Amino acid sequence: MSRTHFDTTTYEEIDVLWTDRRWPVVREGCTAVAFMQHEPSFATFISGMGIIGDREPIARIYSRHLCVEPFNHIPEVLEPCWMLYDVDGTLLLRLTNWVPPVSPEDTTNWLFSYPSIRDMTCLLIDLGVDKFFTLTTLLTEETPLDPMDDEGAVMLYDFKSEVMMGGKSILGGGELALTTPCWLFNYMFANILAHDHLSESFLCIVKTDTTGLDESAVQHFVDYYETVLNLKCDAKKMDEIRSILISID
């Protein structure tokens, strides 16, 4: 059977619209990186789009569990979906339209979070991903982090071995509260592949300021992409995103 221009794959709670005719393909030993578009200081968004550059997504992921406003505009319609990119063999997942918890006690948030994350994780594993990274920011205003201590600006948590690297002295050995979706992707990935001792699941946390664009946080993510993931940021694209964010503000 010949494939149409747009090929769809439906899981339990997500619909995957493949926009690149070369996909889906399985790449054994593939790495995937997830980042949120609307986090405070937009450090993950600026750095992530610096990696993506002008590439078009290979897939758009739709779900009834996403938070999508009923109004949109033309031209340049806002995308009501997550977007998956192929960057030189590494998959980047751009997360938008997330349903935020209304309070720390909002257990109903799980109803929106779990189904789509479960299916998205399974999709990535089906594509051959065995190394998963989530990049996220942490507000210094409401945490024990010292914003003046640059040595502890980046923390890395290994979900497979349950080991925290970096930031220990700042946390003082205490616990760090995280909200969905940043921890849940890694948790699901680590547990689905619990039998696979070669798989890896890391959460990279960078402390950030609460106002404006935090260029220090952006640079930490750029360094992480380049030194750990061997991905080069497009400075011109990052400046373009900065200009858009500043104009909106």
Side-chain angles (χ1 to χ4, degrees):
M1 178 184 295
S2 61
R3 292 174 56 182
T4 60
H5 183 65
F6 291 106
D7 187 23
T8 61
T9 303
T10 301
Y11 282 66
E12 291 278 337
E13 297 292 348
I14 64 173
D15 300 306
V16 185
L17 183 65
W18 299 100
T19 53
D20 188 322
R21 291 183 62 85
R22 296 169 294 182
W23 287 84
V25 296
V26 177
R27 292 175 175 167
E28 297 298 336
C30 184
T31 297
V33 182
F35 68 91
M36 284 288 291
Q37 180 165 304
H38 303 301
E39 285 194 329
S41 82
F42 296 101
T44 52
F45 182 41
I46 295 173
S47 58
M49 293 308 296
I51 297 297
I52 292 168
D54 293 322
R55 294 176 178 84
E56 290 296 316
I58 60 170
R60 289 177 169 86
I61 296 92
Y62 300 86
S63 174
R64 62 185 176 133
H65 297 284
L66 301 185
C67 182
V68 180
E69 296 181 356
F71 292 97
N72 212 317
H73 58 72
I74 52 174
E76 299 182 8
V77 176
L78 294 175
E79 300 271 22
C81 57
W82 297 344
M83 282 159 278
L84 188 65
Y85 299 83
D86 176 17
V87 182
D88 302 328
T90 297
L91 298 179
L92 259 70
L93 177 61
R94 177 180 168 190
L95 300 170
T96 62
N97 306 102
W98 188 259
V99 179
V102 296
S103 72
E105 295 79 28
D106 180 16
T107 55
T108 61
N109 184 254
W110 180 259
L111 297 176
F112 299 99
S113 305
Y114 175 72
S116 52
I117 288 182
R118 174 201 64 204
D119 288 355
M120 189 67 227
T121 304
C122 289
L123 170 62
L124 292 174
I125 293 173
D126 286 347
L127 294 176
V129 172
D130 63 8
K131 295 180 180 64
F132 188 85
F133 297 81
T134 298
L135 275 56
T136 188
T137 54
L138 184 69
L139 296 178
T140 58
E141 191 175 69
E142 301 174 358
T143 71
L145 296 177
D146 179 1
M148 302 303 294
D149 181 4
D150 194 56
E151 293 300 316
V154 181
M155 291 173 287
L156 193 68
Y157 184 73
D158 185 341
F159 271 79
K160 293 286 288 186
S161 61
E162 299 183 346
V163 172
M164 175 79 83
M165 292 161 277
K168 287 185 177 180
S169 61
I170 304 173
L171 290 175
E175 295 181 335
L176 182 62
L178 300 170
T179 186
T180 52
C182 65
W183 66 274
L184 187 50
F185 271 103
N186 292 90
Y187 173 86
M188 292 303 300
F189 188 86
N191 281 274
I192 292 174
L193 292 182
H195 62 283
D196 186 348
H197 300 296
L198 297 178
S199 63
E200 300 175 82
S201 180
F202 295 102
L203 175 64
C204 177
I205 307 167
V206 171
K207 65 182 182 182
T208 186
D209 197 357
T210 57
T211 58
L213 305 181
D214 188 341
E215 293 298 340
S216 177
V218 172
Q219 189 59 48
H220 280 304
F221 284 124
V222 170
D223 293 342
Y224 193 81
Y225 275 118
E226 293 185 348
T227 60
V228 177
L229 300 170
N230 197 30
L231 296 173
K232 184 71 174 177
C233 277
D234 183 338
K236 183 178 179 180
K237 184 64 177 182
M238 291 171 62
D239 286 340
E240 179 183 320
I241 297 298
R242 287 187 183 96
S243 298
I244 294 173
L245 292 173
I246 291 171
S247 67
I248 293 175
D249 185 58

